[in-house]
Amino acid sequence: MKDNAYTGTTNKISISDQITAALGSLGITPIGLLLIIVLLILPFIPPFNQEHILRWLVSAALLAAQAIAFDFTTGYINVVNFGFAAFLGLGAYTSGLLAVNLGLSPWIGIFVGAIPAALVGLLTGLLTLKLRGIFAAVMAWFIGLAMLGLTRNLVDITRGPMGLSTPTLLDTSSNRPYFYIIVAMMLFTYIVLRKVIHSRYGLAFRAIGQNMDAARASGINPTYYRVFNFTLQCLIAGWLGGFYAHYFGILTPQIMLTSRTVEVLAIAYIGGRGSLWGGAVIAFPFIFLIEGLRSNLTALPGLHLVIYGLLLVLVMIFYPGGFAEFYNKASNWVKTAMRK
Amino acid sequence: MKEEKLLKEPFLVVFKRWMMSAGGITITLAVVAAIIATIDSGPFIIVNTVVTGGMWALLSLGLSLVFGVMNIPNFAHGEFFLIGSMTAYFVFNPMRLYLNDNPSAFLSAIAPFLGIFLAFLVGALMGIIMEKLIFSPLRKRSRDQWVMNSFLLTVGISVVIINNIQLIWGANFKGIPSYWNVDPLEFLGVRLSVDRLAALLLSVITLAIFWYFMRRTQTGRAVRAVAQDETGALLVGINLNKILSLTMALSAGLAAMAGASLLFMFPAYPTAGLKPLYVAWYVVILVGLGNVSAAVIGGFIVALLQTLTSYYIGTGWEDVIPTAVIIIMLIFKPSGLFGSVVKGVHEQ
């Protein structure tokens, strides 16, 4: 958009500019659009059209959507939802149990499952977000652990570690339609959250994240905005959980493990906090790297987690902006180089 | 000022006020619950509570200390526990096997202490390495949003340590049947294994030494000074880097020691640190973040809560009940049962 202002002296607005402006209002840059188009035709290009690689793509898109939702809270109000995986699991189990016991269609269940996740998120937020950020992180973690404990123990309802088999969204063995569903969900998550970030609310979030006392002094009620942000994140987590339940067709308490949260957290941070898109972009190459390692080095279980952890530590100490900052710097450099 | 007032007032008034405070109510309730449970189902409840409680106290003490002095909410604290139990296993187990073949009274008396002491040293060393390698660079780069950033760093460290241990030593359980090959003691009709008694004594002695160190020595005073006001401590000539390393070493060493002393109850395996980590965090949030002395009492209260939960409700509920208790606590007293004493934490 800045470039248009730079060169645009004509009164006529070309169609391509209009499209760019329309996409810009959705938060998609031309390069972003290109990446999305590549993503959409990827399932038809040879190495990626095999079913097991399509599965990787689906998990990558799911992780990307989670990273976007995660960054919405960590990157802006600086609160870490350490029970993120449990909120996702709550949505998944709600949707799955409704489908199994009441025969509710998974297409409705996905949306219904988001409601309890948002409610628990709201209560957690009301309880902890008036305190310092670390309370919310630890409390969300405790509540996550409690939910994990409940799903393990209430064997009569959840079937515990034996796993709950849930109906899938579609009657097909192909992963390709699921890929398009999750990509659509990911884009929807991104567009909605970016709309929020660019509204009055987003300004408040950033003010709170940078300096809470200053934000309070300028008349912002930090608790309200933090709880709003946290609840919205939990709502999206529950919604994505619904997809998880009806894609894999089996639910175990494993879905709520803290290590799942750590995965999302690492991706969101390596992608760049406060960017929303950073984690989503990084998730795809990462899943391929990790899954490639996992299938080639089965003798070394847990190696992928070592990589996650090490990268998280390195990024946090030496390059806190993550991939998003790297990209912004590189593109600025290219722009100035081209102008010369 | 406050102390003078306390001295002048009669004991009964002070006691009454204490009984009305959240801390007093909780302690009284805990003691009553322990007595009722003991009458109901036998003295082993008290024994279990006291033995694990002592070790939880050591663990939470370290976590609380690091938060109070360095403002680091350490998520890798459980990994120090794990490192301690791993070290003790690798030191003690070969000696145990050797002693099986050639018995020696002196060596079998000294071996457990050797294992536990070495675990303390290795844990302390790990703490210093972590401070120098990870927190010090971060501190130099930026102190913005320090609490959240250091929290996430420790999450990364914890994941790396757990999975490295799994890669190197595998996921199998490494445990020992007992440290002391002696018959259990009979005490007031309770059978008490020597291992448990030793763990209890060890925790009590360590807590006493720690208390003396913090209250009565120059270095301990310096640690407390840094906890109160870092800039002020620098101004009066305290070597900040030394104190920070020492704090980390102490915290890690105490956790490792707890891990080593409880090796006979909790065998070492890659994710063995998670449960102690939950417990230490439960305790610290329950009594108030950064409140070191209350963490000791909290350790015993949480141990009691766990013992009662696993005996009356079932083992799988150990995470659910304490979480419910903490939620209730946060509704009524968000700064913790005994109040938080952390100052100068500029964090959102």
Side-chain angles (χ1 to χ4, degrees), chain A residues 133 153 209 269 273 316-317 320, chain B residues 141 145 149 152 159 278 316 348:
Chain A
N153 289 316
Y269 266 80
R273 67 205 278 192
M316 295 241 24
I317 300 179
Chain B
R141 185 180 63 73
Q145 302 175 340
N149 284 345
L152 293 172
V159 170
Y278 304 154
Q348 287 117 37

Side-chain angles (χ1 to χ4, degrees), chain A residues 1-19:
Chain A
M1 293 298 287
K2 271 176 193 162
D3 287 47
N4 291 344
Y6 210 78
T7 53
T9 45
T10 51
N11 289 328
K12 279 184 192 169
I13 300 167
S14 67
I15 297 171
S16 71
D17 278 355
Q18 276 179 330
I19 294 173

Side-chain angles (χ1 to χ4, degrees), chain B residues 7-38:
Chain B
L7 284 178
K8 273 178 198 162
E9 273 171 335
F11 174 74
L12 216 72
V13 176
V14 180
F15 183 70
K16 233 181 199 170
R17 191 189 305 131
W18 183 81
M19 285 296 287
M20 295 304 285
S21 72
I25 293 171
T26 325
I27 292 179
T28 320
L29 275 180
V31 170
V32 170
I35 292 171
I36 292 175
T38 309

Side-chain angles (χ1 to χ4, degrees), chain B residues 183-245:
Chain B
D183 289 334
L185 302 176
E186 287 272 339
F187 178 72
L188 293 176
V190 191
R191 286 166 66 86
L192 183 59
S193 79
V194 181
D195 279 57
R196 279 163 194 258
L197 189 69
L200 175 62
L201 283 179
L202 205 65
S203 66
V204 169
I205 292 168
T206 315
L207 286 174
I209 294 174
F210 179 79
W211 185 86
Y212 180 83
F213 169 76
M214 289 295 274
R215 289 277 151 183
R216 294 277 180 273
T217 64
Q218 198 65 32
T219 329
R221 287 198 187 103
V223 172
R224 286 194 294 141
V226 175
Q228 277 176 9
D229 187 344
E230 213 176 272
T231 325
L234 267 176
L235 281 176
V236 296
I238 289 171
N239 185 345
L240 190 64
N241 283 334
K242 213 177 94 186
I243 294 296
L244 295 180
S245 297

Side-chain angles (χ1 to χ4, degrees), chain A residues 216-235:
Chain A
R216 199 180 274 130
S218 39
I220 295 169
N221 176 359
T223 315
Y224 170 75
Y225 286 100
R226 288 170 105 193
V227 171
F228 177 84
N229 185 310
F230 197 81
T231 311
L232 188 55
Q233 189 209 34
C234 292
L235 183 81

Side-chain angles (χ1 to χ4, degrees), chain A residues 107-141:
Chain A
W107 292 97
I108 305 167
I110 283 187
F111 295 97
V112 178
I115 296 169
L119 274 179
V120 176
L122 176 69
L123 293 177
T124 317
L126 285 176
L127 198 64
T128 56
L129 285 172
K130 57 180 187 288
L131 305 167
R132 281 174 297 171
I134 191 65
F135 276 91
V138 174
M139 225 22 237
W141 180 46

